[in-house]
mmCIF file of all heavy atoms in Angstrom:
data_model
loop_
_atom_site.group_PDB
_atom_site.id
_atom_site.type_symbol
_atom_site.label_atom_id
_atom_site.label_comp_id
_atom_site.label_asym_id
_atom_site.label_seq_id
_atom_site.Cartn_x
_atom_site.Cartn_y
_atom_site.Cartn_z
ATOM 1 N N PRO A 75 86.177 -60.286 70.375
ATOM 2 C CA PRO A 75 85.823 -58.935 69.773
ATOM 3 C C PRO A 75 84.684 -58.282 70.411
ATOM 4 O O PRO A 75 84.314 -57.096 70.043
ATOM 5 C CB PRO A 75 85.557 -59.241 68.314
ATOM 6 C CG PRO A 75 84.954 -60.641 68.426
ATOM 7 C CD PRO A 75 85.652 -61.316 69.540
ATOM 8 N N ILE A 76 83.942 -58.907 71.300
ATOM 9 C CA ILE A 76 82.648 -58.434 71.872
ATOM 10 C C ILE A 76 82.633 -58.476 73.328
ATOM 11 O O ILE A 76 81.895 -59.208 73.962
ATOM 12 C CB ILE A 76 81.476 -59.183 71.266
ATOM 13 C CG1 ILE A 76 81.632 -59.308 69.726
ATOM 14 C CG2 ILE A 76 80.122 -58.283 71.547
ATOM 15 C CD1 ILE A 76 80.473 -60.130 69.089
ATOM 16 N N PRO A 77 83.580 -57.777 73.996
ATOM 17 C CA PRO A 77 83.588 -57.777 75.517
ATOM 18 C C PRO A 77 82.266 -57.314 76.055
ATOM 19 O O PRO A 77 81.545 -56.542 75.362
ATOM 20 C CB PRO A 77 84.785 -56.943 75.865
ATOM 21 C CG PRO A 77 84.940 -56.052 74.714
ATOM 22 C CD PRO A 77 84.602 -56.883 73.568
ATOM 23 N N ILE A 78 82.013 -57.544 77.295
ATOM 24 C CA ILE A 78 80.843 -57.376 78.069
ATOM 25 C C ILE A 78 79.794 -58.333 77.638
ATOM 26 O O ILE A 78 79.223 -59.165 78.464
ATOM 27 C CB ILE A 78 80.247 -55.928 77.955
ATOM 28 C CG1 ILE A 78 81.328 -54.854 78.537
ATOM 29 C CG2 ILE A 78 78.984 -55.832 78.705
ATOM 30 C CD1 ILE A 78 80.879 -53.447 78.499
ATOM 31 N N PHE A 79 79.422 -58.349 76.360
ATOM 32 C CA PHE A 79 78.380 -59.256 75.826
ATOM 33 C C PHE A 79 78.849 -60.767 75.916
ATOM 34 O O PHE A 79 78.169 -61.654 76.225
ATOM 35 C CB PHE A 79 77.880 -58.929 74.453
ATOM 36 C CG PHE A 79 77.269 -57.524 74.334
ATOM 37 C CD1 PHE A 79 78.033 -56.422 73.919
ATOM 38 C CD2 PHE A 79 75.945 -57.339 74.827
ATOM 39 C CE1 PHE A 79 77.439 -55.195 73.853
ATOM 40 C CE2 PHE A 79 75.402 -56.111 74.754
ATOM 41 C CZ PHE A 79 76.071 -55.056 74.281
ATOM 42 N N ILE A 80 80.133 -60.904 75.503
ATOM 43 C CA ILE A 80 80.873 -62.130 75.750
ATOM 44 C C ILE A 80 81.823 -61.870 76.994
ATOM 45 O O ILE A 80 82.868 -61.113 76.735
ATOM 46 C CB ILE A 80 81.690 -62.589 74.512
ATOM 47 C CG1 ILE A 80 80.801 -62.696 73.281
ATOM 48 C CG2 ILE A 80 82.464 -63.876 74.772
ATOM 49 C CD1 ILE A 80 79.736 -63.920 73.435
ATOM 50 N N PRO A 81 81.472 -62.243 78.093
ATOM 51 C CA PRO A 81 82.136 -61.684 79.333
ATOM 52 C C PRO A 81 83.543 -62.222 79.659
ATOM 53 O O PRO A 81 83.766 -62.869 80.639
ATOM 54 C CB PRO A 81 81.131 -62.074 80.418
ATOM 55 C CG PRO A 81 80.564 -63.372 79.934
ATOM 56 C CD PRO A 81 80.430 -63.210 78.444
ATOM 57 N N CYS A 82 84.510 -61.868 78.779
ATOM 58 C CA CYS A 82 85.863 -62.301 79.028
ATOM 59 C C CYS A 82 86.473 -61.681 80.273
ATOM 60 O O CYS A 82 87.469 -62.169 80.728
ATOM 61 C CB CYS A 82 86.783 -61.979 77.816
ATOM 62 S SG CYS A 82 86.640 -60.300 77.235
ATOM 63 N N HIS A 83 85.826 -60.677 80.803
ATOM 64 C CA HIS A 83 86.364 -60.002 82.053
ATOM 65 C C HIS A 83 86.155 -60.900 83.222
ATOM 66 O O HIS A 83 86.827 -60.781 84.255
ATOM 67 C CB HIS A 83 85.637 -58.628 82.313
ATOM 68 C CG HIS A 83 84.157 -58.786 82.537
ATOM 69 N ND1 HIS A 83 83.282 -58.903 81.517
ATOM 70 C CD2 HIS A 83 83.487 -58.842 83.734
ATOM 71 C CE1 HIS A 83 82.028 -58.967 81.946
ATOM 72 N NE2 HIS A 83 82.116 -58.978 83.285
ATOM 73 N N ARG A 84 85.301 -61.977 83.085
ATOM 74 C CA ARG A 84 85.062 -62.912 84.269
ATOM 75 C C ARG A 84 86.187 -63.971 84.364
ATOM 76 O O ARG A 84 86.060 -64.883 85.163
ATOM 77 C CB ARG A 84 83.686 -63.582 84.133
ATOM 78 C CG ARG A 84 82.570 -62.512 84.220
ATOM 79 C CD ARG A 84 81.208 -63.105 84.006
ATOM 80 N NE ARG A 84 80.232 -61.970 83.886
ATOM 81 C CZ ARG A 84 79.012 -62.141 83.336
ATOM 82 N NH1 ARG A 84 78.679 -63.330 82.816
ATOM 83 N NH2 ARG A 84 78.224 -61.096 83.306
ATOM 84 N N VAL A 85 87.117 -63.924 83.427
ATOM 85 C CA VAL A 85 88.202 -64.980 83.495
ATOM 86 C C VAL A 85 89.416 -64.384 84.212
ATOM 87 O O VAL A 85 89.911 -63.343 83.826
ATOM 88 C CB VAL A 85 88.597 -65.465 82.074
ATOM 89 C CG1 VAL A 85 89.563 -66.618 82.145
ATOM 90 C CG2 VAL A 85 87.315 -65.990 81.348
ATOM 91 N N VAL A 86 89.876 -65.152 85.170
ATOM 92 C CA VAL A 86 90.967 -64.586 86.043
ATOM 93 C C VAL A 86 92.064 -65.731 86.126
ATOM 94 O O VAL A 86 91.885 -66.895 85.647
ATOM 95 C CB VAL A 86 90.520 -64.205 87.441
ATOM 96 C CG1 VAL A 86 89.499 -63.131 87.274
ATOM 97 C CG2 VAL A 86 89.900 -65.448 88.109
ATOM 98 N N GLY A 87 93.143 -65.382 86.700
ATOM 99 C CA GLY A 87 94.265 -66.334 86.905
ATOM 100 C C GLY A 87 93.822 -67.448 87.904
ATOM 101 O O GLY A 87 92.846 -67.195 88.698
ATOM 102 N N THR A 88 94.577 -68.553 87.963
ATOM 103 C CA THR A 88 94.211 -69.601 88.829
ATOM 104 C C THR A 88 94.224 -69.107 90.292
ATOM 105 O O THR A 88 93.402 -69.579 91.142
ATOM 106 C CB THR A 88 95.176 -70.791 88.744
ATOM 107 O OG1 THR A 88 95.212 -71.231 87.309
ATOM 108 C CG2 THR A 88 94.844 -71.924 89.636
ATOM 109 N N ASP A 89 95.061 -68.175 90.596
ATOM 110 C CA ASP A 89 95.163 -67.636 91.982
ATOM 111 C C ASP A 89 94.218 -66.482 92.233
ATOM 112 O O ASP A 89 94.202 -65.854 93.256
ATOM 113 C CB ASP A 89 96.586 -67.241 92.288
ATOM 114 C CG ASP A 89 97.107 -66.145 91.336
ATOM 115 O OD1 ASP A 89 96.324 -65.758 90.426
ATOM 116 O OD2 ASP A 89 98.190 -65.657 91.541
ATOM 117 N N GLY A 90 93.313 -66.264 91.207
ATOM 118 C CA GLY A 90 92.348 -65.122 91.320
ATOM 119 C C GLY A 90 92.931 -63.794 90.835
ATOM 120 O O GLY A 90 92.151 -62.801 90.942
ATOM 121 N N SER A 91 94.092 -63.726 90.388
ATOM 122 C CA SER A 91 94.679 -62.458 89.935
ATOM 123 C C SER A 91 94.094 -61.994 88.675
ATOM 124 O O SER A 91 93.521 -62.806 87.811
ATOM 125 C CB SER A 91 96.185 -62.622 89.700
ATOM 126 O OG SER A 91 96.454 -63.598 88.745
ATOM 127 N N LEU A 92 94.007 -60.607 88.481
ATOM 128 C CA LEU A 92 93.471 -60.097 87.309
ATOM 129 C C LEU A 92 94.537 -60.025 86.184
ATOM 130 O O LEU A 92 95.531 -59.318 86.289
ATOM 131 C CB LEU A 92 92.958 -58.660 87.551
ATOM 132 C CG LEU A 92 91.838 -58.563 88.579
ATOM 133 C CD1 LEU A 92 91.351 -57.101 88.621
ATOM 134 C CD2 LEU A 92 90.729 -59.446 88.381
ATOM 135 N N THR A 93 94.396 -60.858 85.241
ATOM 136 C CA THR A 93 95.328 -60.919 84.128
ATOM 137 C C THR A 93 94.910 -59.913 83.082
ATOM 138 O O THR A 93 94.061 -59.105 83.333
ATOM 139 C CB THR A 93 95.343 -62.357 83.564
ATOM 140 O OG1 THR A 93 94.067 -62.834 83.284
ATOM 141 C CG2 THR A 93 96.017 -63.281 84.596
ATOM 142 N N GLY A 94 95.502 -59.955 81.842
ATOM 143 C CA GLY A 94 95.304 -58.989 80.844
ATOM 144 C C GLY A 94 93.822 -58.834 80.434
ATOM 145 O O GLY A 94 93.044 -59.781 80.555
ATOM 146 N N TYR A 95 93.557 -57.722 79.921
ATOM 147 C CA TYR A 95 92.131 -57.345 79.425
ATOM 148 C C TYR A 95 92.352 -56.338 78.351
ATOM 149 O O TYR A 95 93.062 -55.379 78.519
ATOM 150 C CB TYR A 95 91.243 -56.917 80.522
ATOM 151 C CG TYR A 95 89.831 -56.699 80.134
ATOM 152 C CD1 TYR A 95 89.025 -57.773 79.715
ATOM 153 C CD2 TYR A 95 89.221 -55.464 80.231
ATOM 154 C CE1 TYR A 95 87.754 -57.664 79.457
ATOM 155 C CE2 TYR A 95 87.879 -55.258 79.883
ATOM 156 C CZ TYR A 95 87.119 -56.391 79.417
ATOM 157 O OH TYR A 95 85.797 -56.126 79.152
ATOM 158 N N ARG A 96 91.588 -56.570 77.181
ATOM 159 C CA ARG A 96 91.688 -55.603 76.044
ATOM 160 C C ARG A 96 91.367 -54.194 76.471
ATOM 161 O O ARG A 96 91.990 -53.209 75.975
ATOM 162 C CB ARG A 96 90.862 -56.046 74.934
ATOM 163 C CG ARG A 96 91.050 -55.311 73.618
ATOM 164 C CD ARG A 96 90.213 -55.836 72.634
ATOM 165 N NE ARG A 96 90.547 -57.168 72.188
ATOM 166 C CZ ARG A 96 91.541 -57.580 71.332
ATOM 167 N NH1 ARG A 96 92.251 -56.619 70.832
ATOM 168 N NH2 ARG A 96 91.682 -58.829 71.065
ATOM 169 N N GLY A 97 90.500 -54.031 77.375
ATOM 170 C CA GLY A 97 90.096 -52.619 77.781
ATOM 171 C C GLY A 97 91.011 -52.068 78.773
ATOM 172 O O GLY A 97 90.883 -50.904 79.179
ATOM 173 N N GLY A 98 91.928 -52.922 79.377
ATOM 174 C CA GLY A 98 92.786 -52.502 80.432
ATOM 175 C C GLY A 98 92.370 -53.162 81.799
ATOM 176 O O GLY A 98 91.146 -53.372 82.015
ATOM 177 N N ILE A 99 93.351 -53.313 82.685
ATOM 178 C CA ILE A 99 92.985 -53.973 83.972
ATOM 179 C C ILE A 99 92.060 -53.170 84.789
ATOM 180 O O ILE A 99 91.163 -53.741 85.428
ATOM 181 C CB ILE A 99 94.372 -54.194 84.718
ATOM 182 C CG1 ILE A 99 95.198 -55.262 83.995
ATOM 183 C CG2 ILE A 99 94.082 -54.665 86.169
ATOM 184 C CD1 ILE A 99 94.562 -56.603 83.955
ATOM 185 N N GLU A 100 92.158 -51.823 84.754
ATOM 186 C CA GLU A 100 91.263 -51.044 85.575
ATOM 187 C C GLU A 100 89.790 -51.225 85.151
ATOM 188 O O GLU A 100 88.881 -51.339 85.964
ATOM 189 C CB GLU A 100 91.646 -49.598 85.517
ATOM 190 C CG GLU A 100 92.901 -49.288 86.330
ATOM 191 C CD GLU A 100 92.922 -49.810 87.728
ATOM 192 O OE1 GLU A 100 91.898 -49.548 88.449
ATOM 193 O OE2 GLU A 100 93.864 -50.515 88.053
ATOM 194 N N ILE A 101 89.554 -51.322 83.815
ATOM 195 C CA ILE A 101 88.183 -51.553 83.388
ATOM 196 C C ILE A 101 87.728 -52.988 83.722
ATOM 197 O O ILE A 101 86.603 -53.224 84.199
ATOM 198 C CB ILE A 101 88.028 -51.328 81.847
ATOM 199 C CG1 ILE A 101 88.215 -49.896 81.531
ATOM 200 C CG2 ILE A 101 86.701 -51.912 81.291
ATOM 201 C CD1 ILE A 101 88.114 -49.555 80.047
ATOM 202 N N LYS A 102 88.594 -53.933 83.660
ATOM 203 C CA LYS A 102 88.266 -55.370 84.107
ATOM 204 C C LYS A 102 87.952 -55.358 85.534
ATOM 205 O O LYS A 102 86.873 -55.919 85.963
ATOM 206 C CB LYS A 102 89.405 -56.242 83.778
ATOM 207 C CG LYS A 102 89.168 -57.687 84.211
ATOM 208 C CD LYS A 102 90.294 -58.610 83.730
ATOM 209 C CE LYS A 102 89.991 -60.098 84.069
ATOM 210 N NZ LYS A 102 90.965 -60.958 83.400
ATOM 211 N N ARG A 103 88.750 -54.632 86.357
ATOM 212 C CA ARG A 103 88.438 -54.641 87.828
ATOM 213 C C ARG A 103 87.093 -53.923 88.042
ATOM 214 O O ARG A 103 86.257 -54.391 88.867
ATOM 215 C CB ARG A 103 89.599 -53.855 88.555
ATOM 216 C CG ARG A 103 89.321 -53.717 90.079
ATOM 217 C CD ARG A 103 90.417 -53.044 90.705
ATOM 218 N NE ARG A 103 91.665 -53.819 90.738
ATOM 219 C CZ ARG A 103 92.724 -53.537 90.101
ATOM 220 N NH1 ARG A 103 92.751 -52.539 89.252
ATOM 221 N NH2 ARG A 103 93.780 -54.325 90.151
ATOM 222 N N GLY A 104 86.848 -52.817 87.348
ATOM 223 C CA GLY A 104 85.605 -52.143 87.521
ATOM 224 C C GLY A 104 84.314 -52.990 87.103
ATOM 225 O O GLY A 104 83.302 -52.941 87.814
ATOM 226 N N LEU A 105 84.393 -53.749 86.088
ATOM 227 C CA LEU A 105 83.345 -54.634 85.672
ATOM 228 C C LEU A 105 83.048 -55.628 86.725
ATOM 229 O O LEU A 105 81.944 -55.930 87.033
ATOM 230 C CB LEU A 105 83.617 -55.212 84.352
ATOM 231 C CG LEU A 105 83.587 -54.297 83.103
ATOM 232 C CD1 LEU A 105 84.120 -55.008 81.855
ATOM 233 C CD2 LEU A 105 82.168 -53.801 82.927
ATOM 234 N N LEU A 106 84.145 -56.226 87.199
ATOM 235 C CA LEU A 106 83.962 -57.286 88.273
ATOM 236 C C LEU A 106 83.478 -56.707 89.559
ATOM 237 O O LEU A 106 82.619 -57.379 90.213
ATOM 238 C CB LEU A 106 85.318 -57.978 88.545
ATOM 239 C CG LEU A 106 85.889 -58.936 87.389
ATOM 240 C CD1 LEU A 106 87.251 -59.394 87.661
ATOM 241 C CD2 LEU A 106 84.883 -60.048 87.087
ATOM 242 N N GLU A 107 83.872 -55.564 89.898
ATOM 243 C CA GLU A 107 83.375 -54.864 91.144
ATOM 244 C C GLU A 107 81.889 -54.575 90.935
ATOM 245 O O GLU A 107 81.124 -54.676 91.830
ATOM 246 C CB GLU A 107 84.220 -53.702 91.452
ATOM 247 C CG GLU A 107 85.615 -53.992 91.956
ATOM 248 C CD GLU A 107 86.336 -52.723 92.139
ATOM 249 O OE1 GLU A 107 85.955 -51.659 91.833
ATOM 250 O OE2 GLU A 107 87.483 -52.812 92.763
ATOM 251 N N LEU A 108 81.465 -54.051 89.749
ATOM 252 C CA LEU A 108 80.076 -53.755 89.502
ATOM 253 C C LEU A 108 79.247 -55.002 89.700
ATOM 254 O O LEU A 108 78.165 -54.944 90.370
ATOM 255 C CB LEU A 108 79.945 -53.221 88.097
ATOM 256 C CG LEU A 108 78.569 -52.745 87.603
ATOM 257 C CD1 LEU A 108 78.691 -51.772 86.392
ATOM 258 C CD2 LEU A 108 77.749 -53.934 87.049
ATOM 259 N N GLU A 109 79.623 -56.121 89.110
ATOM 260 C CA GLU A 109 78.872 -57.339 89.195
ATOM 261 C C GLU A 109 78.911 -57.905 90.597
ATOM 262 O O GLU A 109 77.942 -58.520 91.111
ATOM 263 C CB GLU A 109 79.399 -58.353 88.249
ATOM 264 C CG GLU A 109 79.203 -57.962 86.730
ATOM 265 C CD GLU A 109 79.612 -58.976 85.779
ATOM 266 O OE1 GLU A 109 80.193 -60.039 86.193
ATOM 267 O OE2 GLU A 109 79.540 -58.701 84.539
ATOM 268 N N SER A 110 80.045 -57.763 91.356
ATOM 269 C CA SER A 110 80.140 -58.201 92.729
ATOM 270 C C SER A 110 79.185 -57.458 93.552
ATOM 271 O O SER A 110 78.474 -58.055 94.424
ATOM 272 C CB SER A 110 81.532 -58.016 93.152
ATOM 273 O OG SER A 110 81.680 -58.474 94.477
ATOM 274 N N ARG A 111 79.118 -56.150 93.453
ATOM 275 C CA ARG A 111 78.195 -55.340 94.249
ATOM 276 C C ARG A 111 76.691 -55.728 94.017
ATOM 277 O O ARG A 111 75.904 -55.808 94.945
ATOM 278 C CB ARG A 111 78.341 -53.861 93.961
ATOM 279 C CG ARG A 111 79.622 -53.217 94.420
ATOM 280 C CD ARG A 111 79.569 -51.767 94.382
ATOM 281 N NE ARG A 111 79.358 -51.206 93.051
ATOM 282 C CZ ARG A 111 80.246 -50.911 92.259
ATOM 283 N NH1 ARG A 111 81.539 -51.117 92.495
ATOM 284 N NH2 ARG A 111 80.068 -50.470 90.950
ATOM 285 N N ALA A 112 76.384 -56.016 92.739
ATOM 286 C CA ALA A 112 75.036 -56.313 92.374
ATOM 287 C C ALA A 112 74.597 -57.717 92.725
ATOM 288 O O ALA A 112 73.509 -58.042 93.019
ATOM 289 C CB ALA A 112 74.742 -55.932 90.909
ATOM 290 N N GLY A 113 75.581 -58.694 92.377
ATOM 291 C CA GLY A 113 75.200 -60.111 92.414
ATOM 292 C C GLY A 113 75.962 -60.959 93.351
ATOM 293 O O GLY A 113 75.608 -62.101 93.540
ATOM 294 N N GLY A 114 77.021 -60.488 93.940
ATOM 295 C CA GLY A 114 77.817 -61.300 94.866
ATOM 296 C C GLY A 114 78.834 -62.162 94.100
ATOM 297 O O GLY A 114 78.453 -63.242 93.535
ATOM 298 N N ASN A 115 80.064 -61.822 94.097
ATOM 299 C CA ASN A 115 81.095 -62.550 93.263
ATOM 300 C C ASN A 115 81.454 -63.812 93.897
ATOM 301 O O ASN A 115 81.919 -63.850 95.042
ATOM 302 C CB ASN A 115 82.312 -61.573 93.061
ATOM 303 C CG ASN A 115 83.064 -61.993 91.875
ATOM 304 O OD1 ASN A 115 82.863 -62.995 91.204
ATOM 305 N ND2 ASN A 115 84.062 -61.111 91.499
ATOM 306 N N ARG A 116 81.358 -64.918 93.178
ATOM 307 C CA ARG A 116 81.795 -66.284 93.706
ATOM 308 C C ARG A 116 82.451 -66.908 92.507
ATOM 309 O O ARG A 116 82.368 -66.552 91.348
ATOM 310 C CB ARG A 116 80.545 -67.058 94.047
ATOM 311 C CG ARG A 116 79.778 -66.501 95.203
ATOM 312 C CD ARG A 116 78.581 -67.437 95.498
ATOM 313 N NE ARG A 116 77.745 -67.591 94.404
ATOM 314 C CZ ARG A 116 76.763 -66.665 94.143
ATOM 315 N NH1 ARG A 116 76.564 -65.646 94.850
ATOM 316 N NH2 ARG A 116 75.950 -66.922 93.115
ATOM 317 N N HIS A 117 83.344 -67.887 92.872
ATOM 318 C CA HIS A 117 84.071 -68.644 91.793
ATOM 319 C C HIS A 117 83.017 -69.516 91.082
ATOM 320 O O HIS A 117 82.235 -70.190 91.787
ATOM 321 C CB HIS A 117 85.185 -69.494 92.362
ATOM 322 C CG HIS A 117 86.180 -69.870 91.336
ATOM 323 N ND1 HIS A 117 86.956 -68.969 90.659
ATOM 324 C CD2 HIS A 117 86.440 -71.117 90.848
ATOM 325 C CE1 HIS A 117 87.734 -69.624 89.851
ATOM 326 N NE2 HIS A 117 87.389 -70.875 89.894
ATOM 327 N N ALA A 118 83.000 -69.505 89.747
ATOM 328 C CA ALA A 118 81.889 -70.132 89.000
ATOM 329 C C ALA A 118 81.920 -71.581 88.812
ATOM 330 O O ALA A 118 80.955 -72.291 89.049
ATOM 331 C CB ALA A 118 81.802 -69.424 87.650
#
């Protein structure tokens, strides 16, 4: 119930695909791109 603060957007499919997101896939992609630009996206 608390996306962003509880970062469910950081969970992806085993193959790295963007699966469902309550805010919509485009918002999920946007959040991951934002964090990637700022911090460098790596598998956790």
